[in-house]
Amino acid sequence: MPTPAADHVNALLASYQDFPQVGILFRDLNPVFADAAAFRALIDELAGRFQGEFDAVAGIEARGFLLAAAIGYAADVAVLAVRKGGKLPGSVLSEEYDLEYGSACLELEIGQLAPGSRVLVVDDVLATGGTIAATARLIERAGYRLTGVGVVLELTELVGRTRLGDAPVHAIVAL
């Protein structure tokens, strides 16, 4: 049975063929984020699903930042920003990874949390799993413990969940 958040996603999700390149069907969650009731439902579901299981929430650039900030506020926990390479000052950990249409690098500032802190990772879409798997490696390399992954949309045909090992994954909508 769909949740209220899933109902919003199903009603508002936009799709664009051949973006950002030919052969890619881009699923756009911006209309969901732009609807206040839909956004509240997303945050309530993701924060509620992992309630009491995390000390911080890490958002992956860029739409993951929106989710992490709101979940951090709702759960009264710290927020970490996982950024694209070259965007963070100070001491950082870097992790290279493959996308479904290229490759990239993510970075995390070290020393932001106490060692062993429990971290929930959030992003908008789980596709091939490369971005979230790279983030999970960064979290663990920083000395924190990954306690779950929350996403709004999972593209199941790309089997990204298999790259995340034993991490509990919650997707509001799976297509």
Side-chain angles (χ1 to χ4, degrees):
M1 172 180 265
T3 65
D7 289 340
H8 285 294
V9 172
N10 289 325
L12 297 169
L13 182 69
S15 297
Y16 296 93
Q17 186 63 50
D18 297 327
F19 182 84
Q21 68 185 39
V22 175
I24 302 293
L25 176 61
F26 185 82
R27 307 297 179 128
D28 184 13
L29 288 164
N30 284 329
V32 182
F33 294 154
D35 183 288
F39 189 68
R40 179 181 302 278
L42 297 179
I43 299 311
D44 288 348
E45 182 167 331
L46 290 172
R49 165 58 183 83
F50 294 99
Q51 184 175 4
E53 297 176 16
F54 59 101
D55 306 309
V57 59
I60 303 170
E61 190 166 345
R63 287 177 292 267
F65 292 170
L66 301 171
L67 298 168
I71 292 168
Y73 177 80
D76 195 24
V77 299
V79 177
L80 301 177
V82 178
R83 302 281 325 256
K84 294 176 183 174
K87 304 253 183 190
L88 291 172
S91 297
V92 299
L93 295 172
S94 298
E95 190 72 37
E96 301 269 337
Y97 67 102
D98 292 325
L99 297 163
E100 58 271 28
Y101 46 85
S103 63
C105 176
L106 291 175
E107 292 181 340
L108 176 67
E109 283 186 74
I110 55 177
Q112 297 180 87
L113 304 172
S117 293
R118 303 169 303 157
V119 178
L120 169 66
V121 170
V122 295
D123 205 5
D124 60 338
V125 177
L126 170 57
T128 64
T131 305
I132 296 174
T135 299
R137 290 190 298 273
L138 282 173
I139 295 300
E140 291 170 358
R141 288 176 52 211
Y144 312 139
R145 189 165 49 98
L146 177 67
T147 58
V149 174
V151 297
V152 177
L153 180 65
E154 179 180 5
L155 304 176
T156 57
E157 71 274 7
L158 298 176
V159 296
R161 188 179 286 242
T162 62
R163 297 180 71 180
L164 304 179
D166 294 334
V169 178
H170 177 68
I172 293 173
V173 171
L175 297 177

